[in-house]
Amino acid sequence: MSRQDDMPAFKEIFKAAKHVVVLSGAGISAESGIPTFRGSGGFWRSYKSQDLATFGAFRRDPSLVWEFYHYRRELVLTKKPNPAHHSVAELEARGDRKVTVITQNIDGLHQSAGSKNVIELHGSLFKTRCLSCGQVQENRSSPICPALHGRGAPELETPRRDCIPEDKLPRCSDCSGLLRPHVVWFGENLDKQVLDRAGEELEQCDLCLVIGTSSVVYPAAMFAPQVAERGVPVAEFNMEPTPASHQFTFHFEGPCGTTVPEALKLD
Ligand SMILES: *[C@@H]1O[C@H](CO)[C@@H](O)[C@H](O)[C@H]1NC(C)=O
Ligand SMILES: [Zn+2]
């Protein structure tokens, strides 16, 4: 019986792979110190992030939602990619195979590490979308607009400061419409074009690495079985023990900042 943590066997497959797809989740960001804002403990002020990350919340109080996203942008700007991000970016930079990252993370740390070919399933903290003309733009300004300067601290403000008027929130440079964070909120669908691009990569890859999440948990659960069914090897790198699943070839347990660079070392 083959062991799921057989690194020499993985290396053989990896060396020959010509098209590697990396599926990454919250775990790789957590190792860079980025809080998930999801699940238990995922609170900002007195809100669950689930209650702020909706279009309804933005409609009701765009200032509040922008303060939350401003806070998250500023937080991420103080963080750095970790060795797992770097080794994925270095693999792409070698240029001897195709490497595509499909990530659920919105923090842009793969790109900060140098990855170019990144599909962001949930959008990005550093992109905006105009509510009027639909234009998507990258924006890494800190703060994104002067009115948000000094706002967004996670402590409850008592009394809460005045809402920032809509005309002082981020506005479109083309049509001056109100901008929203270009992220997928609760109750919203993933972008069809983004999903199609991800699907194509998964159909063509000859190796799939699942980093910082499990193949049985979203988002990889959506994609990894499709790869495994074609007989293509899937390797997981995460903190949790192996799920009772035999359809995935490899599982390397531990911090992905340690396991991924070791696995992707080519000599
Ligand atoms: C970011 O967005 C703000 C608000 O729309 C704008 O004033 C600023 O120029 C933008 N920065 C960049 C680098 O595009
Ligand atoms: Zn616009």
Side-chain angles (χ1 to χ4, degrees):
M1 208 185 96
S2 68
R3 291 164 42 119
Q4 282 195 300
D5 62 350
D6 187 342
M7 188 60 91
F10 170 79
K11 292 244 183 190
E12 283 309 304
I13 290 170
F14 171 58
K15 276 182 200 156
K18 288 290 165 227
H19 185 172
V20 180
V21 164
V22 172
L23 292 171
S24 75
I28 191 171
S29 295
E31 285 181 36
S32 282
I34 306 218
T36 63
F37 290 101
R38 275 170 175 265
S40 56
F43 289 89
W44 176 80
R45 296 187 184 157
S46 59
Y47 302 92
K48 289 198 199 81
S49 68
Q50 285 90 324
D51 297 333
L52 292 166
T54 69
F55 188 63
F58 188 72
R59 269 283 172 238
R60 271 193 303 282
D61 193 345
S63 173
L64 179 71
V65 174
W66 261 120
E67 285 175 56
F68 177 54
Y69 279 90
H70 163 69
Y71 172 70
R72 296 181 63 177
R73 286 165 59 96
E74 298 296 317
L75 184 75
V76 168
L77 287 172
T78 69
K79 307 293 183 191
K80 290 193 173 64
N82 65 60
H85 295 106
H86 284 299
S87 54
V88 169
E90 282 157 19
L91 182 66
E92 182 184 354
R94 286 169 66 97
D96 56 357
R97 65 194 76 206
K98 186 170 186 196
V99 178
T100 306
V101 175
I102 302 175
T103 187
Q104 128 189 78
N105 303 330
I106 60 176
D107 49 45
L109 287 182
H110 283 290
Q111 293 94 325
S112 301
S115 286
K116 304 271 181 272
N117 192 16
V118 182
I119 298 175
E120 294 174 309
L121 295 171
H122 289 181
S124 171
L125 285 172
F126 301 103
K127 286 183 181 155
T128 58
R129 186 163 84 240
C130 175
L131 285 190
S132 302
C133 73
Q135 185 178 196
V136 173
Q137 274 193 316
E138 183 157 339
N139 191 311
R140 297 183 68 90
S141 302
S142 165
I144 186 168
C145 66
L148 280 164
H149 180 78
R151 294 292 196 106
E155 298 80 34
L156 247 184
E157 294 165 334
T158 41
R160 172 159 146 72
R161 279 191 276 180
D162 293 337
C163 289
I164 300 167
E166 276 195 32
D167 62 338
K168 295 284 192 301
L169 289 173
R171 310 295 303 197
C172 180
S173 52
D174 279 0
C175 77
S176 69
L178 181 62
L179 298 180
R180 60 167 276 180
H182 184 54
V183 296
V184 178
W185 280 331
F186 291 94
E188 294 182 326
N189 294 321
L190 302 197
D191 184 279
K192 169 90 167 62
Q193 276 178 318
V194 169
L195 272 180
D196 287 349
R197 271 180 67 209
E200 268 168 42
E201 297 287 339
L202 292 155
E203 246 158 60
Q204 293 162 6
C205 69
D206 56 6
L207 175 63
C208 179
L209 312 178
V210 176
I211 303 179
T213 178
S214 153
S215 332
V216 295
V217 174
Y218 174 85
M222 240 173 102
F223 301 121
Q226 168 188 347
V227 174
E229 267 165 34
R230 288 196 294 121
V232 170
V234 175
E236 294 181 325
F237 300 82
N238 64 30
M239 298 293 287
E240 280 81 46
T242 315
S245 156
H246 299 294
Q247 54 180 326
F248 304 114
T249 328
F250 297 104
H251 176 90
F252 301 104
E253 202 175 316
C256 54
T258 306
T259 54
V260 173
E262 190 199 333
L264 302 193
K265 203 163 57 193
L266 283 164
D267 23 48

